[in-house]
């Protein structure tokens, strides 16, 4: 029984090995260097597995021209037929994606998809002008002619108009012009259409595809490739830039810690990678640098907050110029509400940290000998220029400062300096004056004959009525012939 089970297992394995294999990739997102690594890995895997066909499900708004040309070169050099399938419904093969679709050994589109708009732009996001524009367009047109010349004049003319006039067409229009080979609802429908279809490889050989009873295996983008592709998202790059700069500013304003500086440096490094791949206008960096300089200067400014407000405005303008210059593709533009919100948050956070730092600088020293300076104590004994002072329930040896008046027992003194375990004190004039006034008022009350009794609502002074009228005279001394009463 065991032998039969093993034989059945090996028979199924042999049957699978004889079954044709189709590897399916999903390329979704902008055409950036991480996407090139994904294409290279997929083609290498298909060649190693001896796959019948490699299907690339494509959905992209476009991307880097340099990366696109490298992907086309890798695809055309593949030993396994590469089929580019623009899917799912509502997907697009825009700009660079249009040329990648033309580069496939076979190409197909889902019914509700579009292809085209392949006019090049420069690295600052604006349209390329004059001679440079003509050169790049002629190079791209020459490339698409080599890719579509076997499809007929109509296909070549449509491909060239996508570069010259940024024209885009639907799947049906592309099929009518023979720019693609099939319109397929899904991958299964595409495999049925490919069965028996003949493709021509770059070396001139022709391969008849056998996709009947084919088994499919997906090849997903790896974590590292996905991470690097995510870094090329303009919103992610902008957030990393903002967090990185904030971390560096915190480290500069309060040096000594390493965490904020480490996070800031890491985020800035990742942001620089993303901006190095994206279409950005580096002129915006000038505004960003001005913003950060204003943030730092606000620490030393006499009117704190004004420079921070100007820095927030400069930061917002710089970010919009950096990522959203005229001509930048929509998929490479940063969200305007995100920029404004992050600018306000950055300014508020920095302003709060600045207030905390300033408050800490002006806060009295709480510990150590320096915390005693300015405090008031009472003199227990004092002879000449030295004696003992009680300060916060502690008895200290003290000396009279040169500018102080003479000090005697019972006086209040203020600490002006600490020398080791000895205090340098001076007579506290304000406390002395206050004490003198208090004593004078007390004597005046005693002379006026004012006494106090305890009434139902507290202590009240005795008062009497005048002998010749009913008018009440406050604080009048009591007489034997006039009854005293308490007023509440």
């Amino acid at each position: 029984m065991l032998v039969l089970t093993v034989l059945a297992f090996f028979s199924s394995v042999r049957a699978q090995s004889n079954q044709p294999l189709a590897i399916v990739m999903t390329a979704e997102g902008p055409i950036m260097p991480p996407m090139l690594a994904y294409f290279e890995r997929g083609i290498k895997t298909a060649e190693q597995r001896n796959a019948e066909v490699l299907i690339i499900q494509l959905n992209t708004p476009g991307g880097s021209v340099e990366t696109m040309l490298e992907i086309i070169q890798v695809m055309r050099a593949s030993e396994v037929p590469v089929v580019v399938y623009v899917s799912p419904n509502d997907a697009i093969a825009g700009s660079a994606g249009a040329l990648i679709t033309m580069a496939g050994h076979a190409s197909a589109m889902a019914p509700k998809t579009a292809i085209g708009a392949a006019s090049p732009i420069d690295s600052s996001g604006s349209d390329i002008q004059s001679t440079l524009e003509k050169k790049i367009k002629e190079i791209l047109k020459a490339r698409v002619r080599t890719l579509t010349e076997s499809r007929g004049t109509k296909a070549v003319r449509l491909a060239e108009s996508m570069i010259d006039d940024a024209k885009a067409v639907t799947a049906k229009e592309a099929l009518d012009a023979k720019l693609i080979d099939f319109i397929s609802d899904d991958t299964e429908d595409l495999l049925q259409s490919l069965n028996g279809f003949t493709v021509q490889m770059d070396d001139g050989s022709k391969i008849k595809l056998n996709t009947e009873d084919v088994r499919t295996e997906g090849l997903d983008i790896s974590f590292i490739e996905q991470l690097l592709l995510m870094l090329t998202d303009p919103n992610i790059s902008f957030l990393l830039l903002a967090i990185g700069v904030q971390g560096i500013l915190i480290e500069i304003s309060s040096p000594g810690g390493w965490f904020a500086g480490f996070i800031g440096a890491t985020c800035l490094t990742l942001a620089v990678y993303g901006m190095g791949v994206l279409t950005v206008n580096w002129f915006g960096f000038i505004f960003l640098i001005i913003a950060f300089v204003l943030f730092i200067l606000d620490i030393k400014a006499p009117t704190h907050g004004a420079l921070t407000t100007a820095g927030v405005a400069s930061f917002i303008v710089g970010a919009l110029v950096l990522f959203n210059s005229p001509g930048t593709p929509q998929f490479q533009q940063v969200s305007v509400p995100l920029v404004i919100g992050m600018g306000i948050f950055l300014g508020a956070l920095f302003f709060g940290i600045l207030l905390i730092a300033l408050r800490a600088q002006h806060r009295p020293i709480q510990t150590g000998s320096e915390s005693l300076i300015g405090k008031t104590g009472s003199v227990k004994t004092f002879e000449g220029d030295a004696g003992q002072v009680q300060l916060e329930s502690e008895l200290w040896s003290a000396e009279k400062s040169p500018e102080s008046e003479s000090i005697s027992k019972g006086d209040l003194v203020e600490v002006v300096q600490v020398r080791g375990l000895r205090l340098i004190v001076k007579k506290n004039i304000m406390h002395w004056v206050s004490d003198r006034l208090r004593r004078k008022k007390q004597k005046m009350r005693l002379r006026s004959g004012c006494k106090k009794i305890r009434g139902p609502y507290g202590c009240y002074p005795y008062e009497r009525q005048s002998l010749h009228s009913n008018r009440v005279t406050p604080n009048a001394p009591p007489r034997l012939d006039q009854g005293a009463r308490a007023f509440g």
Side-chain angles (χ1 to χ4, degrees), residues 61 63 95 117 119-129 166 278-281 320-334:
S95 191
S119 294
I121 58 174
D122 64 14
S123 59
S124 67
S126 58
D127 292 333
I128 302 173
Q129 301 297 327
L278 289 170
T279 300
V280 295
N281 187 345
L320 293 177
V321 172
L322 186 66
F323 292 100
N324 290 16
S325 292
T328 302
Q330 186 66 34
F331 70 92
Q332 290 191 11
Q333 292 186 4
V334 70

Side-chain angles (χ1 to χ4, degrees), residues 49-76:
R49 300 286 301 276
N50 196 25
E52 181 71 18
V53 65
L54 172 65
I55 298 176
I56 300 175
Q57 294 181 332
L58 184 65
N59 181 16
T60 177
S64 168
V65 174
E66 293 79 7
T67 304
M68 172 201 70
L69 293 175
E70 293 184 55
I71 289 177
I72 291 175
Q73 185 177 1
V74 170
M75 289 172 55
R76 299 305 297 182

Side-chain angles (χ1 to χ4, degrees), residues 7-79:
L7 289 175
F9 173 75
F10 280 106
S11 298
S12 63
V13 170
R14 183 177 299 176
Q16 287 185 0
S17 63
N18 293 331
Q19 190 177 7
L21 171 66
I23 294 180
V24 181
M25 298 171 56
T26 303
E28 187 169 356
I31 303 300
M32 297 295 180
M35 193 69 77
L36 170 62
Y38 181 39
F39 273 71
E40 289 177 337
R41 184 167 62 90
I43 291 173
K44 184 177 180 181
T45 302
E47 291 175 346
Q48 291 175 345
R49 300 286 301 276
N50 196 25
E52 181 71 18
V53 65
L54 172 65
I55 298 176
I56 300 175
Q57 294 181 332
L58 184 65
N59 181 16
T60 177
S64 168
V65 174
E66 293 79 7
T67 304
M68 172 201 70
L69 293 175
E70 293 184 55
I71 289 177
I72 291 175
Q73 185 177 1
V74 170
M75 289 172 55
R76 299 305 297 182
S78 172
E79 298 177 1

Side-chain angles (χ1 to χ4, degrees), residues 78-400:
S78 172
E79 298 177 1
V80 175
V82 178
V83 178
V84 180
Y85 177 38
V86 182
S87 68
N89 283 331
D90 301 320
I92 60 171
S95 191
L99 276 73
I100 291 175
T101 304
M102 300 175 202
H105 298 105
S107 56
M109 297 175 66
K112 298 179 181 179
T113 55
I115 184 173
S119 294
I121 58 174
D122 64 14
S123 59
S124 67
S126 58
D127 292 333
I128 302 173
Q129 301 297 327
S130 64
T131 306
L132 182 60
E133 175 190 21
K134 187 175 181 180
K135 287 181 178 179
I136 296 178
K137 284 188 175 182
E138 288 300 324
I139 291 173
L140 293 179
K141 285 164 62 177
R143 192 70 177 115
V144 298
R145 280 197 297 269
T146 61
L147 297 174
T148 59
E149 59 185 359
S150 61
R151 297 180 176 275
T153 306
K154 195 173 180 180
V156 173
R157 201 161 42 241
L158 176 60
E160 288 183 340
S161 66
M162 290 180 179
I163 297 173
D164 280 331
D165 306 321
K167 185 175 181 178
V169 296
T170 64
K172 187 176 184 306
E173 291 171 335
L175 182 63
D176 292 341
K178 297 185 179 179
L179 190 66
I180 61 173
D181 298 299
F182 311 105
I183 293 180
S184 304
D185 294 327
D186 50 33
T187 306
E188 294 297 328
D189 186 23
L190 175 61
L191 289 172
Q192 292 179 6
S193 300
L194 288 173
N195 187 40
F197 186 76
T198 301
V199 297
Q200 185 170 353
M201 308 301 288
D202 246 24
D203 58 3
S205 61
K206 293 185 178 181
I207 298 178
K208 186 176 182 179
L209 299 178
N210 177 22
T211 56
E212 187 177 3
D213 298 328
V214 68
R215 60 186 178 91
T216 60
E217 288 186 10
L219 182 65
D220 296 329
I221 190 169
S222 68
F223 173 76
I224 297 298
E225 293 164 348
Q226 183 66 43
L227 177 63
L228 294 177
L229 193 61
M230 183 179 64
L231 293 177
T232 61
D233 186 321
N235 293 317
I236 299 297
S237 294
F238 168 72
L239 288 175
L240 290 173
L241 177 64
I243 295 172
V245 170
Q246 183 65 34
I248 297 297
L249 288 177
I250 293 174
E251 185 67 28
I252 292 174
S253 60
S254 56
W258 59 270
F259 183 74
F262 173 75
I263 295 297
T266 302
C267 290
L268 279 180
T269 302
L270 296 176
V272 169
Y273 168 80
M275 289 186 296
V277 176
L278 289 170
T279 300
V280 295
N281 187 345
W282 294 102
F283 181 70
F285 239 94
I286 298 177
F287 289 96
L288 294 180
I289 294 173
I290 292 175
F292 305 145
V293 170
L294 291 175
F295 287 147
I296 296 174
L297 288 179
D298 203 14
I299 299 175
K300 305 293 182 181
T303 55
H304 299 288
L307 293 181
T308 297
T309 304
V312 169
S314 181
F315 179 83
I316 294 174
V317 172
L320 293 177
V321 172
L322 186 66
F323 292 100
N324 290 16
S325 292
T328 302
Q330 186 66 34
F331 70 92
Q332 290 191 11
Q333 292 186 4
V334 70
S335 170
V336 176
L338 176 64
V339 171
I340 297 175
M342 179 55 68
I344 295 174
F345 172 77
L346 184 65
L349 181 61
F350 184 80
F351 187 72
I353 294 172
L354 180 62
L355 288 180
I356 294 173
L358 292 175
R359 188 176 300 173
Q361 290 177 1
H362 293 87
R363 186 180 301 164
I365 301 174
Q366 302 295 328
T367 59
S369 60
E370 293 182 356
S371 65
L372 301 176
I373 297 176
K375 292 187 176 180
T376 302
S378 61
V379 177
K380 293 302 181 183
T381 61
F382 223 90
E383 296 180 1
D385 294 339
Q388 290 183 327
V389 174
Q390 183 173 355
L391 185 67
E392 293 185 345
S393 73
E394 296 178 346
L395 200 60
W396 289 79
S397 297
E399 291 183 6
K400 183 175 73 71

Side-chain angles (χ1 to χ4, degrees), residues 435-450:
D435 184 62
R436 290 293 181 183
L437 291 174
R438 180 181 59 81
R439 290 181 182 181
K440 187 175 181 180
K441 289 181 180 179
Q442 187 176 13
K443 289 180 180 180
M444 291 177 66
R445 281 199 302 270
L446 292 175
R447 288 176 182 174
S448 66
C450 177

